[in-house]
């Protein structure tokens, strides 16, 4: 499956860019303009520095080069020229379709038309990728049936790609077709038995309240995760397991899971893990242990209002009303404070 390096349109996640163009205090007459798009001459000189007579194929290859560099406006302009020179250039339609919505001239509907034309003309070996782009576009336009059909076509072309099954499964979940979703998740795991794939299926099992299956898949996540994985899911999987154990009133199992998670924690999640374990101790009426965990959570994150609130309740249970009142007031104060301190 094509990695979404040049993922386009509102169907795909855009690159994070700090937006400084929208300020509530900006004067009414302020006008923000789009960055000027390059001309065909500028795009050509950048990606086709040649004096020879250029063909549709030349412009198409240059467009793909521009898209690889995320220069979407230039890619669109070059692909547009390629189509003008040869209306049967399927690759040009494909590239123009992918890049339309990141370009200034973006249009999801036109992107769909381009991708459909590319498929009709023929763009082997990328036809399955074109169907995936179509699926993402249809999903963004709230057309799940068309999105699922597009992915089904992608799977017919490339049945060995686990990503297509995962995406289609997610779409099936959204429409409540849980049986079909489970089949797709199962196939995705079969094709790619990695920790992240198991994690995705575990979330599905948890959603449909098949807790035993979810626990098993989260256990696979923990066992299979490699130290060099870019996105670690181990601690998150352990938190999910602890929550499931709590739902099943197996609080000691939840405590063991969270204790193990604390050994592999990062500073970012230490306070939450401690608070969660404190909640389990409190459920078992082991209030002194709960208070110890809440206190450690507060030491780790002094602005954690929830930990103060929970510790207050635990203090009440053991008769330390003054400490309970002090924590209640602290929690209330933290909750009332603005999330962001205003500039002065």
């Amino acid at each position: 499956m094509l990695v979404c390096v040049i993922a386009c349109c509102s169907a795909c996640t855009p690159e994070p860019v700090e937006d400084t163009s929208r300020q509530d205090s900006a004067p009414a007459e302020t006008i923000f303009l789009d960055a000027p798009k390059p001309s065909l001459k500028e795009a050509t000189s950048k990606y086709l520095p040649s004096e020879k007579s250029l063909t549709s194929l030349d412009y198409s290859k240059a467009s793909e080069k521009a898209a690889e560099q995320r220069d979407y406006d230039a890619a669109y302009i070059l692909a547009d020229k390629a189509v003008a020179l040869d209306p049967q250039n399927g690759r040009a339609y494909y590239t123009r379709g992918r890049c339309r919505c990141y370009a200034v001239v973006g249009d999801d509907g036109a992107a769909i038309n381009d991708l459909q034309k590319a498929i009709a003309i023929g763009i082997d070996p990328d036809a399955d990728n074109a169907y995936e782009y179509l699926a993402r576009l249809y999903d963004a336009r709230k057309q799940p049936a068309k999105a699922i059909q597009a992915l089904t076509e992608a799977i017919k072309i490339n049945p060995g790609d686990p990503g297509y099954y995962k995406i289609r499964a997610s779409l099936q979940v959204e429409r409540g077709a849980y049986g079909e979703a489970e089949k797709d998740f199962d196939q995705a795991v079969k094709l790619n038995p990695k920790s992240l794939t198991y994690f995705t299926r575990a979330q599905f099992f948890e959603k449909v309240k098949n807790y035993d299956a979810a626990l098993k898949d989260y256990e696979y996540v923990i066992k299979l995760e490699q130290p060099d994985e870019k996105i670690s899911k181990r601690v998150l999987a352990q938190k999910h397991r602890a929550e499931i154990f709590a739902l099943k009133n197996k609080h000691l199992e939840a405590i063991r899971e969270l204790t193990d998670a604390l050994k592999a924690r990062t500073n970012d999640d230490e306070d939450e893990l401690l608070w969660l374990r404190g909640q389990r101790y409190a459920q078992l009426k082991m209030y002194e242990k709960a208070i110890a965990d809440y206190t450690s959570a507060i030491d780790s994150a002094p602005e954690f209002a929830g930990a103060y609130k929970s510790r207050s309740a635990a203090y009440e249970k053991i008769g330390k009303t003054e400490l309970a009142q002090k924590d209640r007031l602290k929690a209330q104060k933290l909750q009332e404070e603005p999330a962001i301190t205003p500039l002065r």
Side-chain angles (χ1 to χ4, degrees):
M1 180 183 67
L2 177 70
V3 177
C4 225
V5 174
I6 44 177
C8 63
C9 316
S10 61
C12 297
T13 303
E15 298 172 65
V17 178
E18 182 180 1
D19 185 358
T20 58
S21 66
R22 296 179 178 86
Q23 303 288 341
D24 292 340
S25 59
E29 66 272 12
T30 301
I31 298 175
F32 299 104
L33 301 175
D34 289 322
K37 61 177 180 284
S39 66
L40 175 61
K41 182 177 180 181
E42 290 169 332
T44 302
S45 64
K46 184 175 182 179
Y47 295 101
L48 276 168
S50 173
E51 298 298 328
K52 70 175 184 177
S53 178
L54 299 172
T55 67
S56 176
L57 182 59
D58 293 327
Y59 282 107
S60 184
K61 289 181 178 179
S63 175
E64 292 178 4
K65 182 179 179 181
E68 288 172 1
Q69 298 184 28
R70 302 192 179 193
D71 189 352
Y72 302 114
D73 292 301
Y76 169 83
I77 290 168
L78 292 164
D80 195 52
K81 179 64 175 178
V83 168
L85 290 174
D86 180 8
Q88 294 302 307
N89 186 334
R91 296 213 62 82
Y93 283 113
Y94 176 52
T95 304
R96 189 173 72 174
R98 289 183 298 169
C99 296
R100 267 188 183 276
C101 296
Y102 269 155
V104 173
V105 292
D107 183 329
D108 285 4
I112 289 172
N113 290 336
D114 275 349
L115 292 166
Q116 288 175 334
K117 287 180 181 177
I119 292 168
I121 293 170
I123 51 166
D124 290 339
D126 288 318
D128 58 321
N129 296 323
Y131 277 116
E132 183 188 353
Y133 281 112
L134 279 173
R136 294 181 185 277
L137 285 160
Y138 285 133
D139 182 44
R141 291 161 70 92
K142 309 300 182 185
Q143 296 176 290
K146 288 187 175 182
I148 289 169
Q149 181 57 41
L151 283 166
T152 300
E153 294 300 323
I155 288 169
K156 288 178 182 177
I157 297 169
N158 187 2
D161 191 322
Y164 294 150
Y165 295 97
K166 285 175 64 177
I167 298 170
R168 190 171 68 175
S170 297
L171 291 170
Q172 298 284 18
V173 169
E174 289 178 12
R175 65 199 295 256
Y178 297 140
E180 294 303 313
E182 184 171 348
K183 291 177 184 177
D184 277 346
F185 280 126
D186 289 347
Q187 187 64 17
V189 167
K190 181 179 179 181
L191 291 169
N192 185 33
K194 300 290 183 66
S195 62
L196 191 57
T197 318
Y198 277 108
F199 186 87
T200 305
R201 189 174 67 174
Q203 288 182 301
F204 163 72
F205 283 138
E206 194 172 355
K207 178 180 176 63
V208 298
K209 296 182 171 54
N210 187 348
Y211 294 129
D212 289 337
L215 284 170
K216 186 175 180 180
D217 271 1
Y218 284 131
E219 187 174 10
Y220 278 123
V221 173
I222 297 164
K223 289 180 178 178
L224 293 173
E225 182 166 285
Q226 299 298 313
D228 59 346
E229 288 196 27
K230 293 181 180 179
I231 303 175
S232 175
K233 294 291 185 183
R234 176 181 174 177
V235 172
L236 188 55
Q238 289 177 303
K239 284 195 288 187
H240 277 276
R241 278 175 59 84
E243 290 169 6
I244 293 171
F245 282 133
L247 287 170
K248 293 164 71 71
N249 290 315
K250 295 182 177 181
H251 300 291
L252 287 175
E253 286 90 338
I255 288 168
R256 283 195 289 269
E257 199 72 43
L258 292 165
T259 300
D260 190 52
L262 279 162
K263 297 175 184 177
R265 74 192 186 286
T266 65
N267 290 334
D268 291 338
D269 51 30
E270 180 180 18
D271 57 313
E272 184 186 6
L273 291 169
L274 287 164
W275 175 74
L276 287 170
R277 192 174 66 176
Q279 296 290 80
R280 304 283 64 80
Y281 280 129
Q283 194 70 34
L284 292 171
K285 299 182 180 181
M286 301 169 70
Y287 298 118
E288 294 290 351
K289 286 183 176 291
I291 289 168
D293 272 353
Y294 296 144
T295 301
S296 295
I298 290 167
D299 290 341
S300 178
E303 306 305 308
F304 190 173
Y308 284 102
K309 189 174 180 180
S310 296
R311 191 172 68 174
S312 171
Y315 277 140
E316 286 283 4
K317 293 292 186 180
I318 61 174
K320 296 185 177 182
T321 56
E322 290 185 8
L323 290 174
Q325 176 65 5
K326 183 179 178 181
D327 273 358
R328 273 197 299 274
L329 292 173
K330 180 64 175 179
Q332 183 178 356
K333 181 180 178 182
L334 287 170
Q335 289 172 333
E336 290 174 351
E337 287 178 355
I340 300 175
T341 303
L343 295 176
R344 298 180 181 178

